[in-house]
Amino acid sequence: MKQLNKTITGLVSFVLIISGYNGFSQSAQKASVNIAINYFNANNSIPHLVVNAKTRVNGRFQPVGGIAVKLLLDKDSAGTTIGKVVTNEKGEAASFIPPSVKQEWASSKTHTFLAVFDGNNKFEATKADLTIAPARMLISTNDKSITATVLQLKDTSWVPVKGVDLKIGVRRLGGDLPVNETPTFTTDSTGQASADFKRDSIPGDSKGNIVLVAKVEDNDQFGNLSVEKTVPWGGKFKYVSTFDRRTLFGTRDKAPIWLIFMSGGVILAVWITLILLVRNIFAIKKIGREAR
Amino acid sequence: MENSIQGEQIIQDLLPRKFKTGGKVWIGVLTAICLVGAYAYYRQLRYGLIVTNMRDYVSWGIYISNFVFFVAISLVGSLITAVFRLLGVKWGTPLTRIAEMIAVGAIMFASIIIIVDMGSPERFYNLFLYGRIQSPIIWDVIVITTYFFISLLLLYYPLLPDIKILLRFKEKYSPRLYKFYRWLGAFWKGDHKQYLLSKKAINALCIAIIPVAFTIHTVTSWLFATTYRPGWDSTNFGAYFIAGAFLVGAGGVVVAMYIFRTWYRMDKYITPEHFDKMGRVLVLLSLLYLYFNINEFLTPFFKMKESEASYLNDLFTGSFAPMFWFAILTGIILPVIILLFKQGRRPLPMFIVGIMVVVGAWFKRYLIVTPTLLHPFMPMHDVPSAYRHYFPSWEEWAIAMASLAGTMLVITLLCRIFPIIPIQETIDHNHETVK
């Protein structure tokens, strides 16, 4: 009996240890999350920030949605809060730089954006920063030649920046089409880069307008800058709606004429024959009645 | 004098007969199956299509397989009646009415089963009110209605001389049946003018039914081929369906020939020669269908496009492989091998081959519909596991079996009311042979 008690006690202790161990392991470790900040300025208007949150799952980066990230300008103090954003299913969140940080923005020629995630039950707290020197871009055209200029604020004036890589293209539905065979251009000492427009056959809107774009992408110093200009260099595009046409996929009142005639002709030919054959029965009947 | 004695004998042999116990039991069994099917359909109407195992993947299941099978078997009416008649094939005379009865029964249930497949049959009329002439479904509705009407006329016109004969035997029929015969054809006097008009009409119907028959099955194949799915995206489908339809139709006639010959002791009229000739027809049709099957499967197998690979592998070596190879072997290859030998074209082996062809054809229709639907080009994300498999529910089986029983019931009742073999045509044929 004693031996049995010992065995039972031993088994129970073992089970408790195992279950205790499992229970302990169930308070899973929080995963780390990577946060990246991107700076955008389009057409020299109000800049905005885009935050990307990712985590590594089975060796692959997966977007992290639904986490709240606090965005700050230069430091965490009163008057420096840009906003609090929540990432979407793609792990992205965006915020414009609000007027509330105007004073802080004007106080320096370079700025550091801070992204702070306080952590939650799944992910550990983390921070990220990005330092940017505000810059602006200009675009001008002359006889199918495009010039893009990059300027940086120094002291109180905008000065040209040399050696910045940029792209010059035409806005299309699926992306930007380079204006010629050169993929990227670099600004010279005047801060300018020029490209010849070689997309003469490109269709524009009804007036032949197309949108030119010059852009700096993922620059370490300036972030993402872009500027657009509309020029009448494209072909005039006349939109022809096929929505209400007679097609095989149209509604019943929009059946193709050829189909209506063809099917109608066949149906009529067969059914007129059949009706005549039914009439024939009555003719046979009449002969039978007369023969009585 | 001898001719008239022979004629009277033919009439006595071929008059419709009352059912004995076996016939009554047969009718009872078919009616019981139909009633179970009716109850299953009541459940489907009450609870909706959820009682079936059709889901978002397999939305056309056993009902549509049955529909294609019925349309296929109905094509026999045009083969035996029209093609044989126009080609002057005299030996086919005793088989014409059997073929037409099968055609009428099958096409009736093809129409019914398509309505059964509808979730809301009470909205059926909308098909006529709002149907689009661009849709193959509307083409199918039009062509099935037309084919049914032609088949009825083709059954009716050659019946007129026989009805005159039936009316001579008032004592043999119930008053109601006799009245029905009178309504159908008391006006037929066998007048020369009547005969000419009738002959003209039958010729017109024989000519009309062939393109309509080709259209009915081509359009049915287009219901599939105009849908972009693995296995259906084929330009071969029209010809492939028609070849298969002629084969199953001929198989059905062979089965019916044997049953009627044995049941009604019609050895004198449906002879081993008929079986031998139908056997040759079956070999030709099997080889033709085999050719279209090779066309249908060899080239996709050779290319093995990624989007079709899972469907083809499932068919050739996967879960559908036993059924696929059973249908090919039993329905096409074995019949050719058996029927190439003269011994194989005797009545009993022919009957067995006929059953093999019909059963193989039914499974072939199931294989045309179901595996394709289980392998869409763009699979849905995270679908319930029930979507990925299909096996009909008891309601589906009951309704499908009821439709098959219903077809046989219609054929049986037509055989009870009308002569299975055209009496007047047989007498005329006999006179010509004696001359």
Side-chain angles (χ1 to χ4, degrees), chain A residues 198-220:
Chain A
K198 291 185 179 173
R199 301 283 180 189
D200 289 332
S201 58
I202 200 164
D205 64 10
S206 58
K207 292 175 183 167
N209 286 332
I210 55 170
V211 178
L212 298 173
V213 59
K215 57 186 180 182
V216 172
E217 289 177 328
D218 289 332
N219 187 287
D220 291 342

Side-chain angles (χ1 to χ4, degrees), chain A residues 5-24:
Chain A
N5 283 341
K6 275 183 186 173
T7 311
I8 290 170
T9 311
L11 276 172
V12 169
S13 308
F14 179 73
V15 168
L16 282 174
I17 289 165
I18 292 296
S19 62
Y21 175 76
N22 283 342
F24 180 72

Side-chain angles (χ1 to χ4, degrees), chain B residues 148-322:
Chain B
F148 177 62
F149 199 70
I150 296 180
S151 296
L152 273 185
L153 284 177
L154 207 47
L155 180 66
Y156 179 66
Y157 264 108
L159 257 177
L160 286 172
D162 288 0
I163 288 174
K164 187 190 170 202
I165 295 169
L166 297 181
L167 287 172
R168 280 170 47 198
F169 301 93
K170 191 177 178 181
E171 71 286 352
K172 287 202 171 193
Y173 310 108
S174 66
R176 199 177 289 177
L177 187 58
Y178 186 75
K179 207 174 167 185
F180 178 62
Y181 287 150
R182 280 190 61 78
W183 178 76
L184 273 181
F187 54 85
W188 181 267
K189 303 294 171 198
D191 188 272
H192 184 64
K193 279 184 193 169
Q194 282 185 322
Y195 173 74
L196 283 180
L197 280 177
S198 167
K199 195 180 172 190
K200 220 194 245 177
I202 291 170
N203 282 339
L205 284 166
C206 287
I207 293 166
I209 201 170
I210 294 171
V212 174
F214 270 68
T215 312
I216 188 176
H217 220 53
T218 307
V219 167
T220 302
S221 81
W222 287 350
L223 292 179
F224 298 92
T226 52
T227 312
Y228 188 53
R229 281 178 180 274
W232 294 352
D233 187 27
S234 163
T235 53
N236 185 39
F237 247 43
Y240 168 59
F241 267 50
I242 287 175
F246 277 140
L247 176 63
V248 61
V253 166
V254 168
V255 173
M257 275 165 67
Y258 184 84
I259 293 171
F260 292 136
R261 181 181 193 258
T262 314
W263 199 276
Y264 291 109
R265 300 184 198 289
M266 289 186 172
D267 313 34
K268 272 194 286 181
Y269 304 95
I270 304 173
T271 63
E273 198 192 340
H274 286 110
F275 283 94
D276 183 74
K277 285 179 172 161
M278 276 306 287
R280 289 163 197 261
V281 171
L282 267 179
V283 170
L284 174 73
L285 293 171
S286 299
L287 288 172
L288 190 69
Y289 191 45
L290 183 64
Y291 167 74
F292 280 113
N293 269 276
I294 292 169
N295 263 285
E296 190 54 36
F297 291 109
L298 187 69
T299 46
F301 173 74
F302 191 84
K303 289 184 282 188
M304 208 40 107
K305 284 189 279 187
E306 196 182 339
S307 53
E308 296 196 347
S310 66
Y311 156 75
L312 290 170
N313 286 327
D314 207 10
L315 216 53
F316 297 149
T317 54
S319 56
F320 284 103

Side-chain angles (χ1 to χ4, degrees), chain B residues 3 7 52 78 82 96 108 118 122 154 179-180 198 222 233 250 274 314 329-330 335 339 341 363 382 410:
Chain B
N3 277 349
T52 72
S78 67
T96 52
M108 269 175 74
M118 295 174 76
E122 74 280 4
L154 207 47
K179 207 174 167 185
F180 178 62
S198 167
W222 287 350
D233 187 27
H274 286 110
D314 207 10
L329 280 172
T330 313
L339 298 177
F341 299 97
F363 281 106
D382 281 343
V410 169

Side-chain angles (χ1 to χ4, degrees), chain A residues 37-51:
Chain A
I37 312 171
N38 292 291
Y39 170 86
F40 290 87
N41 188 340
N43 291 317
N44 305 315
S45 61
I46 301 167
H48 71 273
L49 301 175
V50 174
V51 173

Side-chain angles (χ1 to χ4, degrees), chain A residues 32-36 52-56 61-64 90-91 123:
Chain A
S32 63
V33 58
N34 291 345
I35 290 181
N52 266 292
K54 290 177 194 166
T55 186
R56 197 184 277 269
F61 277 113
Q62 299 286 341
V64 179
K90 291 177 185 168
F123 300 104

Side-chain angles (χ1 to χ4, degrees), chain A residues 248 250-252 271 277 280 284, chain B residues 129 131-132 146 157 194 197:
Chain A
L248 283 173
T251 50
R252 65 196 296 263
W271 276 94
L277 289 172
N280 199 44
I284 292 172
Chain B
L129 290 181
R132 297 165 59 249
T146 310
Y157 264 108
Q194 282 185 322
L197 280 177

